[in-house]
Amino acid sequence: MEQKKAKKIDHEEYKEIYGAALCISSFKHLILSPESAMNLQASLQATIDIPRVPSLNGLIGRCSQPFEKQLTETDVNSKQCRLSINKVDVENAVMPLLKEEEDVEKGIRVKVYDANGKEYPMTLKLWAHKLHVLKEGWIEFCTDHALLAHQDFLKLWVFRNLHTQDLCFFITSRRLQEFQPSKKRRLNA
């Protein structure tokens, strides 16, 4: 008897998903007024945790969900000059926003903004086919914000500049007074 309920629920879910897909597919033939398009854009942006920085108003186009990173010793080492970014975070936040002609192995010029809207030019690059990094302007960012290994946690958003379509990052930080270095986890591929 429980199996019949499960099948009925699956069938109902299927009907709901099919109905939603049919509704969405009909949108491609819909012509929106400029006002409706702006309202739709605003409602879509409301579903994503978009940074609220006055100097960035009107600049944030397509935007990723934010992700967090605890800073490591190498992230704040002035001889390393780079911020490493977890592969999973790159796959979820960066890759969906890349243009076909952009290649992280060659490097992509990006603009990174802090909580005050200050701009830091950097390069997003894949090092040795395994480590994604923000480099060049990173040490200036790190110094300006007096970032510390293990104590500081970054929150990063990736977005497209609405006007230039350039790839951009927005980074905020928070500090824990009592801290523990996070343990590295190995993900099974």
Side-chain angles (χ1 to χ4, degrees):
M1 186 131 201
E2 286 184 46
Q3 286 181 340
K4 286 183 181 178
K5 282 184 182 178
K7 284 184 181 180
K8 186 174 182 181
I9 290 171
D10 289 339
H11 180 70
E12 291 300 317
E13 282 180 335
Y14 174 77
K15 281 175 43 178
E16 187 175 318
I17 292 168
Y18 179 77
L22 185 60
C23 181
I24 289 171
S25 68
S26 69
F27 286 166
K28 71 179 181 181
H29 301 289
L30 185 65
I31 298 173
L32 296 176
S33 69
E35 182 182 338
S36 295
M38 287 179 62
N39 289 338
L40 180 60
Q41 177 74 14
S43 66
L44 288 173
Q45 287 183 342
T47 62
I48 297 177
D49 179 14
I50 293 180
R52 307 283 181 228
V53 178
S55 62
L56 298 182
N57 282 348
L59 288 183
I60 299 175
R62 288 180 40 217
C63 185
S64 72
Q65 290 289 349
F67 59 94
E68 279 203 341
K69 176 190 174 28
Q70 182 179 22
L71 291 177
T72 64
E73 294 290 340
T74 58
D75 291 326
V76 298
N77 184 330
S78 62
K79 293 178 182 165
Q80 296 275 331
C81 298
R82 56 97 175 131
L83 170 69
S84 64
I85 304 174
N86 182 301
K87 180 181 178 181
V88 173
D89 293 325
V90 170
E91 289 172 356
N92 292 333
V94 178
M95 295 308 208
L97 295 177
L98 290 185
K99 295 178 184 175
E100 196 172 303
E101 66 272 11
E102 293 175 323
D103 184 353
V104 284
E105 287 190 25
K106 291 179 182 174
I108 302 168
R109 298 292 300 155
V110 300
K111 292 180 180 155
V112 177
Y113 297 91
D114 68 8
N116 297 317
K118 182 176 177 183
E119 182 181 306
Y120 297 82
M122 296 187 201
T123 301
L124 175 67
K125 190 162 177 65
L126 179 62
W127 274 0
H129 302 289
K130 63 179 181 178
L131 183 65
H132 292 88
V133 297
L134 280 174
K135 57 186 215 110
E136 289 156 8
W138 170 247
I139 288 302
E140 181 186 350
F141 186 98
C142 200
T143 303
D144 285 356
H145 298 89
L147 297 175
L148 300 172
H150 310 298
Q151 284 184 266
D152 286 321
F153 287 76
L154 302 182
K155 190 171 186 179
L156 298 93
W157 288 260
V158 184
F159 67 94
R160 284 280 173 195
N161 182 303
L162 207 51
H163 304 293
T164 65
Q165 289 304 305
D166 291 339
L167 190 65
C168 303
F169 284 74
F170 177 74
I171 301 177
T172 61
S173 65
R174 64 183 172 86
R175 178 164 293 161
L176 298 180
Q177 296 307 316
E178 294 184 32
F179 63 94
Q180 289 288 327
S182 62
K183 294 181 180 171
K184 288 188 177 183
R185 294 180 309 196
R186 213 174 248 267
L187 299 175
N188 294 333

